[in-house]
Amino acid sequence: GFSGAGVPCGDNTSFVGNEVVSSLNGYWWNHYSASRPCSSIVNLKVWRAWNMGVYGEVARTSLFTVERVELADIGIGILLHAVGGDALKHDRFKLQYTIRDSTIVGQSPNNACSRKKPSLYACDFYQAYCWTPYPHNHTGIFIGAANSGASHAPKISPWVDSSSNPSLYGELAVVNVTFGGFGTPCAASSVARQRARRDVAFSAMAPPA
């Protein structure tokens, strides 16, 4: 897939019409990149990605958006975390992120119900970050966190440790997003937990495995 800092909001020419298929992730929003007042990902298609369609740890950006994306047959469609003020210093920095005008499909007719990790030892690399929701269901949007500092993923567990110092001051807006193919388990799967757990359009953070 892709990795980067997105594009400035309103830029409809620099990163458009891209498609990702059969990858680990679709777009990895890189929190190490330079900040800008507003950052976005626009017009992206991702399908049959094993882990996430769009993942982000977006730092030093008060507003970021995901617009006109089409996602299907992915472990997690979108999971975004915002990084703001220093909680230990009692800073408050409002973080806003918006997902709009998009389509997210849990299981399409082409879905193979497979949760087998990618081949070629992709998940053995220390930065592969092959984390998935437990126990192995499809999730459209995971509600992320507004934290004081980045967790430096993929080396550390995804934002569930108490030392991440959440600032709890963020706002997620979901506008004109169509969800489909959720609500049923993957009956054809060979994994018992996957057959028992229904796919969900929205979810909070997953419990540890």
Side-chain angles (χ1 to χ4, degrees):
F2 296 95
S3 178
V7 298
C9 293
D11 183 347
N12 294 310
T13 59
S14 297
F15 186 84
V16 294
N18 293 290
E19 185 171 356
V20 179
V21 59
S22 298
S23 68
L24 188 62
N25 296 292
Y27 194 103
W28 187 285
W29 223 327
N30 189 354
H31 70 268
Y32 295 107
S33 301
S35 64
R36 57 172 63 102
C38 181
S39 182
S40 68
I41 294 174
V42 182
N43 196 1
L44 173 69
K45 293 181 179 179
V46 184
W47 52 288
R48 297 196 73 171
W50 185 81
N51 203 10
M52 304 186 194
V54 177
Y55 175 79
E57 292 180 9
V58 184
R60 302 177 301 280
T61 299
S62 58
L63 176 64
F64 51 105
T65 64
V66 176
E67 303 181 49
R68 304 196 306 278
V69 299
E70 299 176 33
L71 312 173
D73 302 329
I74 303 170
I76 303 173
I78 300 174
L79 173 56
L80 302 175
H81 295 296
V83 181
D86 189 336
L88 298 180
K89 295 179 180 178
H90 305 287
D91 292 337
R92 296 189 72 191
F93 181 76
K94 187 171 184 179
L95 300 149
Q96 296 176 288
Y97 48 116
T98 301
I99 303 167
R100 65 160 60 97
D101 302 330
S102 299
T103 301
I104 305 175
V105 177
Q107 295 184 48
S108 76
N110 294 321
N111 182 42
C113 293
S114 174
R115 298 301 294 145
K116 183 179 179 181
K117 290 184 178 182
S119 60
L120 302 178
Y121 302 99
C123 293
D124 290 338
F125 181 53
Y126 77 102
Q127 288 185 332
Y129 195 34
C130 292
W131 172 78
T132 58
Y134 178 82
H136 300 282
N137 65 319
H138 293 89
T139 303
I141 295 176
F142 252 119
I143 300 172
N147 281 42
S148 59
S151 69
H152 296 283
K155 298 181 180 180
I156 300 177
S157 298
W159 301 80
V160 294
D161 189 83
S162 60
S163 64
S164 61
N165 303 318
S167 60
L168 302 177
Y169 193 39
E171 180 180 286
L172 165 66
V174 179
V175 182
N176 195 30
V177 175
T178 300
F179 296 90
F182 292 98
T184 58
C186 194
S189 175
S190 60
V191 180
R193 292 182 302 175
Q194 194 173 353
R195 293 194 302 270
R197 179 73 179 266
R198 294 179 181 273
D199 293 338
V200 292
F202 273 95
S203 180
M205 291 301 297

